Amino acid sequence: MITWYDRFKGKVIKQLPENIAPGRYAAQESCIINRHSNIQQDDFLISDGTEKFHIGSQVGSFIHNEKSEQVEAELEIIESAILAYQEAVDLGKDSSFLIPDKLLARLELTKFEELLVDVLKKGHLQEIARRPRMELIYEEHLVPVSRAKKVAGSANAHLASHSECWQTRTLTGVIPKQILALESEDQLNIYENRVYVKLLGNIEQYLLKRILEVKRLEEIFAKAESFKNAEGIYFELRESIFTLWGEGFAPDEVDKGKDDEDKNDDKKSDETTLGLLTKMLKKVRTLQHSSLYLKLTHNIHVPLKLNMTNVLSHDQHYRHVARLWNSWLDTQQANNLDPKQIFERNKKLANSYLQYCCDLVKRTLHELGFVELTPNSFERNGAQSVSLEVTGVGEIILNSSGQNLSFVPCFTNYTYVSDTELMENSRRVLLSISANEETEKYNLCTSPINFYSLEQLAILISKWLASQVVQALGNTLYKVPSALIRFLESINTKQHWQFENNSVTIIKPFIDVKPKLLEFKGEHKKDVSIARAIDVVTEAAERFEELLYCPCCGVKADEEQWVSRDDNCFAIRNSNCNHVWEVNRKADGSKVLKVLPRNVVDGELLDDFERAGRFSISLDF
């Protein structure tokens, strides 16, 4: 029996459910899926395009969100961006976590579209609809003599054997009343016309998909540009997102874009790619209302490979039908993959997404002020340190002070509430391309088209780190030797501690008195209890000092900027960065850590994630 590792729950299971999300499970031993592809140990269980899986005795299906044409177009953009990112990494080139410049090419007309523009402009398809080729067919019909235009060759034989068709009989023969005549009929249902009608349908579907793709890309690029001079967005957030976007564009591409913009200033809007595609779709749909299309559109079947008849090869109009058909067929080659090829592509996509998410987590740590001193080991101003590990089953684990935070990258647009809720207790967070509001607490939409992917990660990691730091507030040391208490009282000029009997409560950072503590320890090195107590105090001082570091950027505030408040609360409002942070007591007795941008006039901005991002954080504890 093959066992599987459930990446969502972090445990091994023996039996797969009937319906699963692609990438959720990792094999614990080698196996074969659907009799065509090998799955090695720790490989993800992903789809081969059939949406079914058959592994040993286990059979089931993959779950996907309902796919519309718009969803499909967006998914293709995301897939292309992820694969482009991986390609850039493999080549050692700069790459962006947002849509790269490589996808700018999709805003231009393809070779097939340029050919279609030319053919429609010259009216070849319109001329076929107006005057289609027809096949002249003669059929025999029994008609009155007065209506007969062409007598059939078998008319005499038929007349000799059918006396009811005689008018009168004479000595030399008969005078017919009815006669077998040939009547001609124009037949539109010829191979070339069937190809034409099928081509119009194929072009319509192609243009619909391309229009959705270009529209979505234009929306993404327009939104990116809007961050450049956006008003109502906190300036650090605006600059961070726009910088992240710009990293995917080489300087020469930026200059080229400016030149192209200057050149296109005088062009009309309908000459853009989207305008041309829309105009072509309108023309094609007009042709679909022609009598030729309406007569042949039902139950039509044409093989993909054309039979190049004389008409398709030499007719001045129909030969362009063949050109368009073959050019359209070239655009479909990427979609004509067998299940094994689709499985390999999806496998590559899943691994590329893992690389993308891992690099994005590292970039987030850098944005939060961490420096990678050694591979996968990060430190922020000598205060907190974070280590990063990628497990064999594709989990990204952050560790700080013995506490873990696990990210589970899974390239799927399907998330289910009950699955993500189970991840809460084990500090596991799903990274997917699904933007599901119901599951966003434990599922981050980490996608090249989501401008806030890094911001979401930054908030999550900041809260995770801050939740460890704020535990130092109100830290009380018990059973402190009396000699040490008297010494602490003597140097407590800045009100670092509060004393009660043999206990000491820390209320303010005091790392600056550490040398005096070590000196006192040296003077009483023979007293083991004092030495141990001083070690505990100095360790507490180091933990408490971490509260001086900005949760947003890691910049350290001066100890003098600490403003103590009742109930072991504090505020730092004049830090060395652009942020303020404070801990306040709530009415129910709990506390809340708030991190806010400094000098913000608009109070609503502070509660709006899309306007403040990671620079406005609230953590209850």
Side-chain angles (χ1 to χ4, degrees):
M1 175 67 71
I2 300 171
T3 57
W4 301 85
Y5 180 77
D6 187 342
R7 301 172 66 228
F8 286 14
K9 298 180 181 179
K11 63 181 184 180
V12 176
I13 62 171
K14 294 182 179 179
Q15 182 71 32
L16 289 171
E18 286 189 17
N19 300 308
I20 65 173
R24 173 170 178 170
Y25 299 94
Q28 296 296 282
E29 54 189 284
S30 300
C31 55
I32 298 176
I33 180 173
N34 295 348
R35 298 188 178 90
H36 61 65
S37 295
N38 293 322
I39 297 179
Q40 303 300 325
Q41 183 177 353
D42 292 338
D43 280 355
F44 305 145
L45 179 55
I46 52 181
S47 171
D48 64 355
T50 63
E51 308 305 339
K52 304 287 184 181
F53 67 85
H54 185 185
I55 303 171
S57 60
Q58 301 184 77
V59 179
S61 59
F62 292 98
I63 306 173
H64 292 279
N65 284 340
E66 293 184 8
K67 292 185 178 181
S68 63
E69 292 180 343
Q70 187 170 355
V71 171
E72 286 286 344
E74 187 170 283
L75 186 59
E76 284 196 17
I77 292 173
I78 296 173
E79 290 180 356
S80 299
I82 293 295
L83 294 175
Y85 177 85
Q86 184 65 54
E87 182 182 350
V89 170
D90 293 341
L91 296 174
K93 296 182 178 179
D94 292 335
S95 53
S96 171
F97 294 105
L98 299 177
I99 296 294
D101 58 356
K102 187 175 182 179
L103 266 66
L104 280 172
R106 295 200 175 192
L107 291 175
E108 304 296 330
L109 291 176
T110 64
K111 290 183 179 179
F112 168 68
E113 291 158 5
E114 289 176 348
L115 176 61
L116 182 58
V117 168
D118 181 64
V119 172
L120 286 172
K121 184 178 180 180
K122 294 179 178 177
H124 295 294
L125 299 185
Q126 295 90 323
E127 189 62 25
I128 293 174
R130 191 172 69 89
R131 297 177 59 186
R133 283 250 185 174
M134 293 178 285
E135 185 177 3
L136 197 61
I137 298 176
Y138 286 97
E139 293 184 356
E140 295 180 346
H141 294 280
L142 190 64
V143 298
V145 174
S146 60
R147 288 180 51 196
K149 295 181 179 179
K150 188 174 183 179
V151 178
S154 59
N156 291 336
H158 178 272
L159 194 60
S161 59
H162 291 80
S163 58
E164 69 274 12
C165 295
W166 298 352
Q167 180 72 36
T168 57
R169 183 175 182 180
T170 65
L171 294 174
T172 57
V174 297
I175 298 174
K177 179 175 62 176
Q178 293 178 311
I179 195 168
L180 203 60
L182 290 177
E183 291 188 350
S184 63
E185 181 180 351
D186 293 331
Q187 178 61 264
L188 288 173
N189 190 17
I190 61 174
Y191 175 71
E192 292 81 3
N193 287 338
R194 291 198 299 272
V195 171
Y196 170 82
V197 169
K198 186 69 174 178
L199 176 66
L200 291 180
N202 293 339
I203 291 175
E204 181 193 27
Q205 294 302 313
Y206 172 89
L207 290 176
L208 283 171
K209 183 177 178 181
R210 272 288 284 154
I211 287 171
L212 288 173
E213 179 186 50
V214 173
K215 274 186 179 179
R216 188 69 183 100
L217 281 171
E218 287 190 350
E219 289 172 0
I220 294 170
F221 280 90
K223 186 173 182 180
E225 286 294 329
S226 70
F227 282 102
K228 187 173 183 179
N229 299 307
E231 296 181 0
I233 295 180
Y234 181 54
F235 80 95
E236 284 191 288
L237 172 63
R238 182 181 66 233
E239 291 177 2
S240 174
I241 293 178
F242 195 72
T243 299
L244 199 68
W245 165 264
E247 290 175 357
F249 294 82
D252 56 338
E253 286 293 333
V254 176
D255 294 338
K256 179 178 179 294
K258 291 180 180 178
D259 293 340
D260 291 343
E261 186 177 347
D262 293 338
K263 292 177 183 177
N264 293 331
D265 279 343
D266 297 329
K267 287 189 176 182
K268 296 180 180 179
S269 60
D270 62 353
E271 291 181 335
T272 63
T273 298
L274 183 59
L276 287 170
L277 293 174
T278 305
K279 285 176 66 176
M280 287 192 291
L281 178 62
K282 185 177 180 180
K283 289 182 179 180
V284 168
R285 284 181 165 170
T286 300
L287 293 173
Q288 288 178 323
H289 285 85
S290 65
S291 59
L292 172 60
Y293 185 90
L294 296 174
K295 286 180 180 178
L296 300 183
T297 188
H298 303 292
N299 301 321
I300 190 170
H301 174 72
V302 178
L304 288 177
K305 186 176 180 180
L306 282 186
N307 177 20
M308 292 303 294
T309 63
N310 285 334
V311 173
L312 289 176
S313 299
H314 304 296
D315 185 272
Q316 62 174 334
H317 302 303
Y318 279 88
R319 65 188 181 91
H320 296 288
V321 171
R323 290 176 64 205
L324 284 171
W325 182 280
N326 291 326
S327 183
W328 167 82
L329 197 58
D330 289 339
T331 68
Q332 305 301 304
Q333 294 304 315
N335 300 326
N336 297 330
L337 302 177
D338 60 37
K340 184 174 183 179
Q341 292 172 316
I342 294 175
F343 178 82
E344 290 300 324
R345 183 183 185 276
N346 289 341
K347 181 178 178 180
K348 180 181 179 181
L349 193 57
N351 292 329
S352 298
Y353 186 66
L354 172 60
Q355 175 75 52
Y356 171 85
C357 291
C358 182
D359 291 346
L360 185 59
V361 170
K362 289 183 178 181
R363 174 59 179 270
T364 304
L365 289 172
H366 286 299
E367 292 286 323
L368 292 176
F370 285 87
V371 178
E372 191 171 6
L373 300 177
T374 57
N376 295 331
S377 179
F378 300 83
E379 190 170 298
R380 182 162 69 179
N381 289 333
Q384 286 180 300
S385 60
V386 175
S387 64
L388 183 147
E389 176 192 4
V390 181
T391 66
V393 290
E395 297 169 331
I396 304 169
I397 301 178
L398 298 183
N399 180 278
S400 178
S401 303
Q403 305 223 6
N404 287 347
L405 176 63
S406 300
F407 295 105
V408 183
C410 189
F411 191 82
T412 178
N413 61 352
Y414 167 81
T415 51
Y416 193 56
V417 177
S418 63
D419 292 333
T420 53
E421 285 178 344
L422 292 171
M423 305 175 82
E424 176 183 8
N425 296 331
S426 56
R427 283 194 175 276
R428 303 173 73 79
V429 179
L430 177 65
L431 304 182
S432 73
I433 59 172
S434 171
N436 188 342
E437 293 182 0
E438 294 182 358
T439 62
E440 63 182 3
K441 188 173 180 181
Y442 312 109
N443 164 46
L444 300 187
C445 178
T446 310
S447 163
I449 67 172
N450 180 14
F451 289 87
Y452 290 88
S453 293
L454 187 146
E455 299 302 313
Q456 292 176 319
L457 278 170
I459 288 178
L460 188 65
I461 294 174
S462 294
K463 286 186 175 182
W464 171 63
L465 293 172
S467 66
Q468 302 172 43
V469 173
V470 294
Q471 300 306 317
L473 281 173
N475 188 12
T476 300
L477 309 177
Y478 298 96
K479 297 181 180 180
V480 179
S482 299
L484 179 56
I485 287 182
R486 288 193 296 272
F487 175 73
L488 292 176
E489 287 176 336
S490 68
I491 62 174
N492 194 27
T493 57
K494 296 182 179 180
Q495 302 300 312
H496 295 120
W497 310 282
Q498 286 181 345
F499 304 96
E500 184 177 352
N501 298 326
N502 289 331
S503 64
V504 179
T505 301
I506 303 171
I507 60 174
K508 192 175 182 180
F510 60 97
I511 198 69
D512 58 333
V513 301
K514 183 177 179 181
K516 294 181 180 180
L517 289 170
L518 295 177
E519 182 181 347
F520 184 79
K521 178 181 178 181
E523 294 172 355
H524 298 79
K525 57 185 176 182
K526 292 184 179 180
D527 192 325
V528 177
S529 61
I530 290 179
R532 289 178 177 174
I534 290 177
D535 288 340
V536 173
V537 171
T538 53
E539 182 180 349
E542 292 172 355
R543 293 293 297 166
F544 205 87
E545 188 191 19
E546 293 179 5
L547 291 165
L548 289 172
Y549 291 88
C550 175
C552 275
C553 60
V555 171
K556 185 180 180 182
D558 297 331
E559 187 177 321
E560 291 74 19
Q561 295 165 348
W562 180 285
V563 178
S564 297
R565 292 177 174 173
D566 295 337
D567 300 314
N568 298 313
C569 297
F570 75 94
I572 295 178
R573 294 188 170 276
N574 296 305
S575 63
N576 301 318
C577 61
N578 295 315
H579 319 118
V580 298
W581 60 102
E582 58 187 14
V583 170
N584 298 315
R585 185 179 182 275
K586 299 173 70 176
D588 60 2
S590 63
K591 296 178 181 178
V592 57
L593 167 68
K594 286 192 174 183
V595 186
L596 305 169
R598 190 197 298 174
N599 301 326
V600 174
V601 178
D602 185 359
E604 294 182 0
L605 181 148
L606 303 178
D607 298 323
D608 190 338
F609 168 70
E610 292 193 352
R611 297 173 66 193
R614 67 178 182 270
F615 302 101
S616 178
I617 301 174
S618 180
L619 173 66
D620 295 327
F621 64 99

